[in-house]
């Protein structure tokens, strides 16, 4: 991999192209997850003109290591030549055709390939656009399955505390982050909320497995009371990412699968963030040796190049929707760009890389390097909860280590950290005061070292 010396790239530019683009952007765009006024005042909006592997390059030529994989989507680098070529070829052949009444080989091959690599029993693929639409589909399919089986009293979902499943109204309904949810609460349905198996909630002397066992007992109580009215339990396997990179033991998922079978409710695994090698296995569910009834995929599906999501499900679910046209039991949910050929081509190129290269082995080496470099931070007086699952590592900035007391939110320590890292050419956008690392799989060990070095400086600055 060719890497410029980025200290050279940080020379003050003679012409500030960034400023010009920034101004035009602020006049016309409205950005996601953003208090726009901050960009007009204290926060620099960064115009990116090019991607190069793990690096993003702004209009002034400054390079940034994408330490969070552009919201956890990028796997094999920006402007990956193989994926780019697949997209270009497909765009020159067939851009799009509606996926009702028509089909095409890219979607056929992709569905076949997803079924081949997914946990056993997931034999049907339904394509959509964003992650949130995949969650909507899984919720609706589960509900509709029970409806078609005459169980019309099943209208509820069981979700975990601290969950995040996206921001359309259905997905937001089963999410538990007040920051995103609270204001819309009057528009949302109420899930039954089960405690999170987050291992940071361990009582003194408890292991991650103990926490899992305790939370499974809570889940059993909930199912005992609510299974008759519940369609499904929805979880983010192994890591609740948006909820602050909170992690749990695989044993929780294994136990949850057993409980869902025992109480006859579906299990929806939202692997939108953790799928495709992020946690050390291709899918997080593999570490618990389970198959969900619905598997939601997006983000890394196209290597982070195009919006696409998929819901995989079982033959038993599929069969429940077959019948006479007049019976009106088909799944009529539709998105215009469902099965888009260009997105399929990007996904196929991404999956080809998994087939042909030792991606998971390499990720394990990178994860070990990251762990080794972060280990000394365990002793840091303002860091608590250092944790890692595969290529996701996180830590919390705290005012007091012993009691894990957070800094007052208004102090925005995480933002200080973010700004320091940016200045040093690292994109490490924390979740509040949770600093995390989630780099693309093509970073080098040197990139990881540089990222951690900058992070340590940034942390010291943020907690000072
Ligand atoms: C990002 C994410 C979603 C939503 O995906 P979008 O493409 O942003 O709509 C849903 N679930 C999880 C676990 C996610 O991380």
């Amino acid at each position: 991999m060719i890497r410029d010396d980025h200290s050279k790239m940080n020379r003050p530019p003679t012409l500030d192209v960034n400023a010009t683009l920034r101004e035009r952007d602020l006049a016309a765009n409205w950005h996601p997850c953003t208090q726009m006024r901050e960009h007009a005042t204290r926060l620099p909006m960064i115009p990116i003109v090019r991607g190069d592997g793990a690096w993003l390059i702004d209009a002034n030529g400054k390079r940034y290591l994408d330490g969070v994989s552009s919201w956890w989507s990028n796997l094999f680098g920006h402007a990956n030549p193989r994926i780019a070529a697949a997209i270009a070829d497909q765009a020159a052949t067939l851009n799009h055709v509606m996926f009702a009444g028509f089909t095409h080989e890219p979607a056929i091959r992709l569905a076949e390939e997803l079924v081949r690599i997914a946990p056993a029993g997931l034999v049907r693929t339904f394509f959509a656009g964003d992650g949130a639409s995949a969650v909507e589909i899984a919720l609706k399919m589960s509900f509709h399955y029970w409806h078609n089986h005459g169980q019309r009293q099943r209208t509820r979902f069981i979700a975990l505390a601290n969950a995040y499943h996206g921001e359309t109204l259905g997905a937001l309904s089963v999410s538990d982050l007040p920051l995103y949810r609270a204001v819309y609460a009057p528009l949302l349905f109420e899930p039954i909320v089960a405690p999170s198996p987050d291992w940071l909630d361990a009582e003194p002397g408890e292991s991650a497995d103990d926490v899992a066992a305790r939370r499974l007992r809570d889940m059993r109580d909930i199912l005992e009371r609510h299974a008759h009215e519940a369609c499904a339990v929805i979880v983010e396997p192994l890591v609740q990412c948006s909820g602050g990179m909170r992690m749990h033991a695989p044993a929780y998922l294994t136990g949850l699968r057993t409980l869902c079978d025992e109480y006859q409710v579906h299990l929806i695994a939202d692997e939108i963030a953790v799928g495709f090698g992020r946690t050390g296995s291709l899918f997080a569910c593999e570490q618990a040796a389970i198959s969900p009834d619905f598997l939601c995929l997006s983000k890394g599906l196209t290597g982070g190049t195009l919006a696409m999501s998929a819901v995989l499900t079982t033959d038993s679910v599929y069969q429940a929707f077959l019948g006479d046209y007049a019976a009106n039991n088909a799944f009529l949910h539709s998105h215009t760009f469902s099965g888009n050929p260009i997105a399929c081509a990007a996904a196929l190129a991404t999956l080809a890389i998994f087939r042909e290269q030792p991606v998971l082995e390499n990720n394990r080496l990178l994860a070990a390097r990251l762990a080794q470099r972060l280990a000394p931070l365990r002793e840091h007086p303002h860091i608590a909860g250092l944790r890692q699952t595969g290529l996701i590592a996180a830590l919390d900035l705290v005012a007091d280590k012993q009691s894990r007391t957070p800094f007052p939110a208004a102090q925005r320590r995480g933002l200080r950290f973010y700004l320091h890292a940016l200045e040093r050419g690292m994109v490490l956008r924390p979740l509040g005061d949770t600093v995390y690392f989630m780099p693309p799989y093509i970073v080098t060990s040197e990139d990881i070292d540089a990222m951690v070095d900058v992070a340590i400086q940034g942390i010291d600055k943020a907690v000072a």
Side-chain angles (χ1 to χ4, degrees):
M1 175 142 319
I2 301 162
R3 282 184 60 226
D4 298 334
D5 173 359
H6 72 97
S7 60
K8 266 192 235 138
M9 301 301 290
N10 289 346
R11 277 178 309 210
T14 42
L15 177 68
D16 193 349
V17 190
N18 276 357
T20 319
L21 289 173
R22 198 174 283 153
E23 223 167 275
R24 285 170 52 201
D25 178 82
L26 285 177
N29 276 324
W30 191 344
H31 291 262
C33 209
T34 297
Q35 172 47 264
M36 289 300 295
R37 207 168 77 174
E38 301 230 289
H39 283 297
T41 52
R42 59 189 295 209
L43 264 184
M45 174 70 70
I46 302 166
I48 296 297
V49 293
R50 212 154 55 78
D52 173 19
W55 297 79
L56 294 164
I57 299 149
D58 79 10
N60 289 345
K62 178 169 171 172
R63 296 168 67 84
Y64 305 83
L65 182 68
D66 189 355
V68 299
S69 298
S70 284
W71 269 344
W72 326 334
S73 64
N74 193 286
L75 307 185
F76 300 119
H78 294 280
N80 179 290
R82 181 164 184 178
I83 302 173
I87 289 172
D89 283 352
Q90 187 57 47
T93 314
L94 174 70
N95 287 292
H96 189 60
V97 58
M98 61 181 175
F99 206 50
F102 296 86
T103 192
H104 48 81
E105 201 177 346
I108 296 167
R109 282 177 47 214
L110 181 56
E112 288 171 348
E113 182 66 7
L114 288 172
V115 164
R116 190 181 70 77
I117 62 179
L122 296 167
V123 296
R124 284 278 160 187
T125 305
F126 193 102
F127 289 116
D130 295 285
S133 33
V135 171
E136 300 287 341
I137 288 163
L139 297 174
K140 284 177 71 179
M141 269 186 186
S142 174
F143 166 82
H144 201 159
Y145 168 94
W146 296 112
H147 180 96
N148 285 352
H149 276 287
Q151 299 209 24
R152 311 229 160 145
Q153 81 290 356
R154 294 207 195 223
T155 57
R156 306 196 67 189
F157 290 90
I158 300 169
L160 298 189
N162 196 44
Y164 177 88
H165 297 288
E167 311 209 25
T168 53
L169 296 178
L172 194 58
S173 291
V174 289
S175 299
D176 184 46
L177 302 182
L179 179 65
Y180 305 124
R181 190 185 200 281
V183 69
Y184 304 105
L187 306 180
L188 306 177
F189 66 77
E190 279 301 316
I192 300 150
V193 180
S196 167
D198 175 7
W199 72 42
L200 291 183
D201 289 342
E203 307 286 350
E206 258 189 341
S207 68
D209 281 340
D210 296 337
V211 178
R214 177 156 57 86
R215 293 319 195 191
L216 285 168
R217 289 194 292 276
D218 296 331
M219 183 61 87
R220 178 182 287 282
D221 289 347
I222 286 172
L223 285 166
E224 193 64 53
R225 280 180 282 130
H226 294 287
H228 67 283
E229 55 170 342
C231 302
V233 179
I234 181 166
V235 289
E236 296 156 88
L238 296 187
V239 188
Q240 295 186 308
C241 292
S242 295
M245 301 298 165
R246 298 308 186 99
M247 303 175 180
H248 55 260
Y252 181 78
L253 301 172
T254 314
L256 184 59
R257 175 72 272 183
T258 308
L259 284 175
C260 287
D261 288 341
E262 190 180 330
Y263 286 90
Q264 291 283 297
V265 299
H266 289 139
L267 177 60
I268 302 172
D270 175 355
E271 292 220 18
I272 289 167
V274 296
F276 300 107
R278 188 51 78 177
T279 64
S281 47
L282 189 57
F283 298 108
C285 282
E286 292 172 25
Q287 294 184 44
I290 61 154
S291 292
D293 299 285
F294 300 92
L295 176 67
C296 300
L297 302 173
S298 188
K299 293 199 166 105
L301 174 58
T302 58
T305 58
L306 286 168
M308 170 175 242
S309 61
V311 179
L312 275 74
T313 191
T314 61
D315 188 53
S316 138
V317 168
Y318 179 71
Q319 293 295 333
F321 292 81
L322 300 181
D324 283 341
Y325 181 78
N328 203 17
N329 59 0
F331 191 63
L332 299 183
H333 185 103
S334 54
H335 292 293
T336 307
F337 288 108
S338 190
N340 175 261
I342 304 176
C344 287
L348 284 167
T350 302
L351 296 181
I353 297 174
F354 276 102
R355 274 199 312 278
E356 293 164 23
Q357 293 174 21
V359 177
L360 298 178
E361 289 80 350
N362 186 51
N363 281 9
R364 280 193 260 280
L365 298 177
L366 292 171
R369 179 76 166 217
L370 188 55
Q372 183 200 347
R373 291 302 320 273
L374 290 173
L377 291 178
R378 244 175 241 294
E379 311 306 323
H380 194 289
H382 289 289
I383 290 177
L386 182 61
R387 56 199 178 273
Q388 187 174 348
T389 299
L391 267 184
I392 307 173
L395 55 90
D396 304 317
L397 306 181
V398 290
D400 182 70
K401 190 183 183 81
Q402 216 52 47
S403 58
R404 283 210 265 137
T405 309
F407 287 105
Q411 293 180 358
R412 303 183 71 184
R413 304 281 179 151
L415 182 64
R416 286 191 217 172
F417 168 86
Y418 172 66
L419 291 174
H420 173 85
L422 265 189
E423 185 194 288
R424 298 300 161 94
M426 299 282 162
V427 181
L428 292 170
R429 185 183 153 114
L431 296 154
D433 285 350
T434 298
V435 167
Y436 72 91
F437 307 87
M438 203 154 162
Y441 304 165
I442 45 112
V443 287
T444 62
S445 336
E446 293 75 31
D447 291 337
I448 286 186
D449 292 354
M451 189 170 72
V452 173
D453 287 344
V454 167
I456 291 171
Q457 296 162 7
I459 289 166
D460 285 334
K461 213 163 162 176
V463 302

